[in-house]
């Protein structure tokens, strides 16, 4: 009776599959962007471009749905990993960080909504009596 031998390629295939499944479950948009860029590099530019565009849409939806992710430094605890009572610097003790896609969305919103499209704010109190008709009532 012989002992069955194990092929190390199957173990690598299982590990790669598990890693790909984890990446697709946690960040499907970034996974699609990576696969699309790989397809473009391998000689399928239009398929790669379409996959990257789909990945960007999925990632934008994910950033709008869940803008915060676990902190990468403290893994969501809010404390320094080596010292127990020291607050984590990147997340300032909250345990979450804002995704970079959400930061881009907020910067775009700030730039487009406040750069001339929003009406000028009125002062809380008129500078001279009779300036605003609705505030002259006593």
């Amino acid at each position: 009776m012989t002992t069955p031998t194990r092929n190390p390629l199957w173990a690598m295939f299982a590990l790669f599959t598990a890693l790909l499944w984890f990446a697709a479950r946690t960040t499907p948009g970034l996974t699609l962007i990576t696969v699309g860029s790989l397809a473009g590099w391998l000689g399928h530019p239009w398929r790669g471009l379409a996959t990257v565009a789909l990945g960007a849409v999925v990632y934008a939806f994910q950033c709008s749905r869940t803008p915060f992710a676990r902190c990468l430094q403290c893994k969501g605890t809010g404390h320094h990993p080596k010292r127990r009572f020291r607050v984590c610097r990147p997340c300032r003790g909250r345990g979450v960080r804002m995704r970079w896609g959400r930061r881009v969305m907020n910067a775009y919103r700030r730039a487009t909504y406040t750069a001339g499209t929003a009406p000028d704010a009125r002062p809380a109190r008129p500078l001279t009596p009779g300036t605003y008709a609705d505030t002259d009532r006593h």
Side-chain angles (χ1 to χ4, degrees):
M1 184 159 182
T2 61
T3 306
T5 60
R6 293 186 181 179
N7 191 352
L9 290 177
W10 283 109
M12 287 177 51
F13 176 72
L15 181 67
F16 181 72
T17 306
L19 209 67
L20 189 63
W21 176 254
F22 177 73
R25 292 271 304 163
T26 55
T27 54
L30 294 179
T31 305
L32 283 173
I33 290 171
T34 305
V35 168
S37 63
L38 183 64
W41 185 68
L42 290 175
H44 302 284
W46 293 108
R47 288 180 186 168
L49 190 62
T51 308
V52 167
L54 179 67
V57 168
V58 168
Y59 186 70
F61 177 72
Q62 183 181 9
C63 286
S64 66
R65 194 186 75 209
T66 56
F68 296 102
R70 251 180 19 168
C71 177
L72 300 174
Q73 187 74 26
C74 66
K75 297 182 178 51
T77 61
H79 299 290
H80 194 270
K82 294 182 181 172
R83 294 185 182 172
R84 186 173 176 188
F85 297 109
R86 186 170 170 194
V87 175
C88 177
R89 274 183 157 174
C91 67
R92 297 182 194 143
R94 289 178 294 209
V96 292
R97 63 173 176 85
M98 190 175 288
R99 297 180 192 272
W100 65 268
R102 186 57 182 219
R103 287 182 195 271
V104 170
M105 286 176 162
N106 289 347
Y108 176 75
R109 186 178 298 129
R110 255 184 262 117
T112 56
Y113 289 149
T114 60
T117 58
D120 294 333
R122 292 184 356 185
R125 189 179 295 167
L127 302 176
T128 58
T131 305
Y132 299 121
D134 58 346
T135 58
D136 287 340
R137 297 185 199 125
H138 297 287

